[in-house]
Amino acid sequence: MNPWKIGFFTLAGIVIAAIVTLVLFIGSTGESEPLPEAKQIESPTNVLTVHSTKEDLQGIANTYIRKAMKGEPLPVTMEVQDDVILLSEMTVFSYTLPVRMHFDPVVQEDGNLILKQSSMEIGQLNVPPSTVLKILRDSVALPPWMIVRPAEEELFIDLSRIPVSGNLQVKAKTFNLAEDEIILEIMIPKE
């Protein structure tokens, strides 16, 4: 057999063994932090109901992620299609692997969102979703209003804590991606 092929297969075997070891090492998801209580506006409010599309929501979400990162490289970007997709990259032993995490949005009673993970792709690897979420939580500086909960295989979007100027607060009312019907409420304090 050609020595070059032997060297290539040996290197490939070492990389695969290292990845498997890394996955086993970080395989336990540990405890997820508890969900915070929704921030309440204490003064009386006026409510503005906003009907949005998937495209508009994607643009708004990525703008707020970019603002929260304050000039740092974006750790994740969001796509809104028939589900919510978070795109990121993971570097393992100098190899950069694309990560695509698919989520189904669930509106909470308090107007916040839980994104329940439905599937995940990380290069060609078969890694449990909870492990990828743990890696995301432990290695990527996400905005404080995005809470990764690996044990529950979900991402909590605390809309009440997104910094919106004028002391406004955002709540989700309806999040039906199949019908492209996204309804948000903007709580505007009365002066």
Side-chain angles (χ1 to χ4, degrees):
M1 186 177 242
N2 183 340
W4 182 85
K5 286 183 180 178
I6 293 172
F8 175 76
F9 288 120
T10 302
L11 178 61
I14 291 171
V15 169
I16 291 171
I19 290 172
V20 168
T21 302
L22 178 66
V23 168
L24 292 174
F25 179 70
I26 57 176
S28 68
T29 58
E31 296 284 322
S32 293
E33 66 180 271
L35 293 178
E37 293 201 19
K39 186 171 112 180
Q40 301 295 323
I41 295 179
E42 297 179 14
S43 61
T45 61
N46 294 309
V47 178
L48 175 65
T49 302
V50 177
H51 293 260
S52 182
T53 64
K54 294 184 272 191
E55 182 179 339
D56 291 334
L57 180 67
Q58 176 177 308
I60 291 167
N62 286 319
T63 297
Y64 275 98
I65 292 170
R66 197 174 300 104
K67 279 184 178 182
M69 297 314 300
K70 298 178 177 139
E72 295 291 319
L74 285 181
V76 294
T77 55
M78 183 182 288
E79 287 183 6
V80 183
Q81 297 175 5
D82 289 337
D83 59 356
V84 176
I85 304 167
L86 289 182
L87 304 166
S88 189
E89 293 180 337
M90 181 181 301
T91 303
V92 179
F93 300 109
S94 72
Y95 288 99
T96 302
L97 302 171
V99 178
R100 291 177 62 89
M101 295 172 279
H102 297 262
F103 296 90
D104 294 322
V106 178
V107 176
Q108 301 294 286
E109 282 184 34
D110 61 8
N112 288 314
L113 280 176
I114 294 225
L115 301 178
K116 293 295 278 181
Q117 190 163 32
S118 56
S119 68
M120 178 271 318
E121 303 153 23
I122 177 167
Q124 298 296 320
L125 300 175
N126 185 13
V127 181
S130 59
T131 301
V132 174
L133 285 172
K134 181 181 184 303
I135 293 169
L136 180 69
R137 178 191 68 192
D138 296 344
S139 64
V140 176
L142 293 172
W145 41 268
M146 293 178 80
I147 300 170
V148 179
R149 305 185 74 220
E152 293 79 8
E153 295 185 0
E154 66 188 23
L155 180 65
F156 178 69
I157 307 293
D158 194 347
L159 294 174
S160 67
R161 286 183 173 61
I162 293 178
V164 181
S165 63
N167 200 25
L168 304 178
Q169 185 176 349
V170 179
K171 290 184 176 186
K173 187 78 172 165
T174 303
F175 220 89
N176 184 343
L177 297 178
E179 301 292 325
D180 201 12
E181 180 184 24
I182 301 162
I183 300 174
L184 303 172
E185 291 182 340
I186 312 296
M187 315 303 280
I188 306 166
K190 293 180 181 178
E191 299 275 332

